[in-house]
Amino acid sequence: MKTILIKCGGSVIDDLSTAFFNSLKDLESEGYHLLFVHGGGPDINDLLELYQVPQEYINGLRKTSAETMEIVEMVLAGKTNRTLTAKLSSHGFNAFGINGSDGGFLQADFIDQERLGFVGDIVKVKTEIISMLLNEKYTPVITPIATASNGEKLNINADFAAAAIANNLQVDHCIFVTDVQGIIINGELVSQLSKEEIESYIHADQITGGMIPKVRSAVNVIEKGLQNVRIVSGKETFFNQGHWIGTEIFAKEGILR
Ligand SMILES: Nc1ncnc2c1ncn2[C@@H]1O[C@H](COP(=O)(O)OP(=O)(O)OP(=O)(O)O)[C@@H](O)[C@H]1O
Ligand SMILES: [Mg+2]
């Protein structure tokens, strides 16, 4: 089965265009099965603000107190997942929302409980849950919350969750959909970048904020063997008759899966 994992940024869920859904249709018509992981940054920020919960980011990761975690779950599982699943359904996809924390689907360890609170790194993915849905022609839409070994729920950066799922499932393509066309350097979209170039742009502060966990996740996926990973816009066409638009992050020759 040919599969494509699509991480859909919370930054763009409300702005997904008809052209974007047409690109998805194009991929399906080429025989790919789609699965989604979503983020929810802006909605989470709005609700934290409403409840006057202080916000703090450390290296692009959201510091997550017990109170923040409750709001993160409420937003991701109760709102963002519902919105994306409904949008996909209304465009004819057989979308099926799932929480990463259910049935031990996504399992994680605390990254650094003292510094980051309830933030995790995925250590296990029960891929059979996804396979089951894909085999039955569903389009899974995954909420990036995992369970720790002590049973507590952990907030997983959606880009990291996407990478972990892509690696464990050994997908054929991995795409990060966001609110910009791809990686922009000095005002220009860069169509191809190697891992080495990415690191130097991070050091030069030309790749910043939410783009850092995204490119690091992309690199993680190509290091595990995928030939390339793409960062594309959800506002425009990103795939048309075999042609991709956005930034391609590629592996060096010789590490093809
Ligand atoms: N070099 C760069 N090129 C393009 N965007 C960049 C760059 N450096 C930083 N960014 C920022 O990264 C943002 C995308 O990451 P962000 O985390 O905000 O969105 P997302 O991951 O799509 O959504 P979510 O985090 O809610 O899942 C862009 O909107 C842009 O502001
Ligand atoms: Mg992000």
Side-chain angles (χ1 to χ4, degrees):
M1 184 187 291
K2 294 203 292 183
T3 52
I4 299 195
L5 183 140
I6 298 164
K7 186 271 175 164
C8 192
S11 64
V12 77
I13 287 181
D14 289 335
D15 300 323
L16 294 172
S17 66
T18 304
F20 169 78
F21 288 102
N22 287 339
S23 295
L24 298 180
K25 292 274 176 206
D26 253 40
L27 287 170
E28 260 198 348
S29 67
E30 298 214 355
Y32 288 104
H33 293 252
L34 313 182
L35 66 142
F36 291 81
V37 176
H38 64 89
D43 282 343
I44 295 169
N45 295 344
D46 288 351
L47 209 62
L48 288 171
E49 215 165 283
L50 189 70
Y51 284 108
Q52 299 184 325
V53 178
Q55 303 186 35
E56 190 184 339
Y57 281 89
I58 299 171
N59 297 330
L61 299 177
R62 183 191 300 280
K63 187 169 178 178
T64 307
S65 64
E67 192 185 20
T68 303
M69 187 62 222
E70 255 187 68
I71 290 174
V72 164
E73 183 173 31
M74 189 154 65
V75 172
L76 288 178
K79 184 171 186 228
T80 330
N81 183 287
R82 300 297 77 221
T83 304
L84 181 57
T85 303
K87 282 196 178 200
L88 286 163
S89 300
S90 75
H91 283 86
F93 295 90
N94 207 5
F96 196 113
I98 28 173
N99 290 316
S101 55
D102 290 352
F105 172 31
L106 302 180
Q107 295 166 37
D109 280 343
F110 285 86
I111 292 179
D112 182 343
Q113 193 167 6
E114 213 153 283
R115 279 181 70 221
L116 290 168
F118 295 90
V119 175
D121 222 358
I122 293 183
V123 292
K124 185 170 184 226
V125 178
K126 274 194 188 169
T127 52
E128 62 267 30
I129 293 173
I130 305 173
S131 305
M132 203 166 72
L133 289 168
L134 292 176
N135 283 333
E136 296 298 323
K137 308 262 187 305
Y138 289 103
T139 300
V141 182
I142 302 161
T143 294
I145 295 176
T147 319
S149 54
N150 66 2
E152 284 177 310
K153 284 178 189 169
L154 299 180
N155 181 16
I156 313 293
N157 173 285
D159 296 327
F160 291 175
I165 295 166
N167 289 335
N168 279 276
L169 201 67
Q170 301 223 328
V171 296
D172 296 287
H173 288 284
C174 179
I175 302 166
F176 291 87
V177 177
T178 186
D179 61 347
V180 289
Q181 281 187 307
I183 296 177
I184 296 160
I185 302 292
N186 298 329
E188 300 228 0
L189 175 69
V190 180
S191 60
Q192 281 193 317
L193 274 178
S194 69
K195 181 180 128 186
E196 290 73 19
E197 288 168 318
I198 281 174
E199 279 309 316
S200 68
Y201 283 133
I202 292 176
H203 284 294
D205 279 334
Q206 289 186 292
I207 291 179
T208 60
M211 193 52 79
I212 294 177
K214 206 179 306 304
V215 293
R216 291 244 157 93
S217 300
V219 167
N220 174 292
V221 173
I222 58 175
E223 281 179 340
K224 294 276 158 54
L226 205 65
Q227 203 177 332
N228 56 31
V229 171
R230 290 189 163 85
I231 297 178
V232 307
S233 168
K235 298 178 183 174
E236 297 160 29
T237 299
F238 71 87
F239 182 78
N240 188 13
Q241 298 182 338
H243 179 66
W244 295 87
I245 299 149
T247 299
E248 177 194 8
I249 296 169
F250 60 92
K252 278 191 172 171
E253 290 149 76
I255 22 178
L256 307 182
R257 179 179 278 162

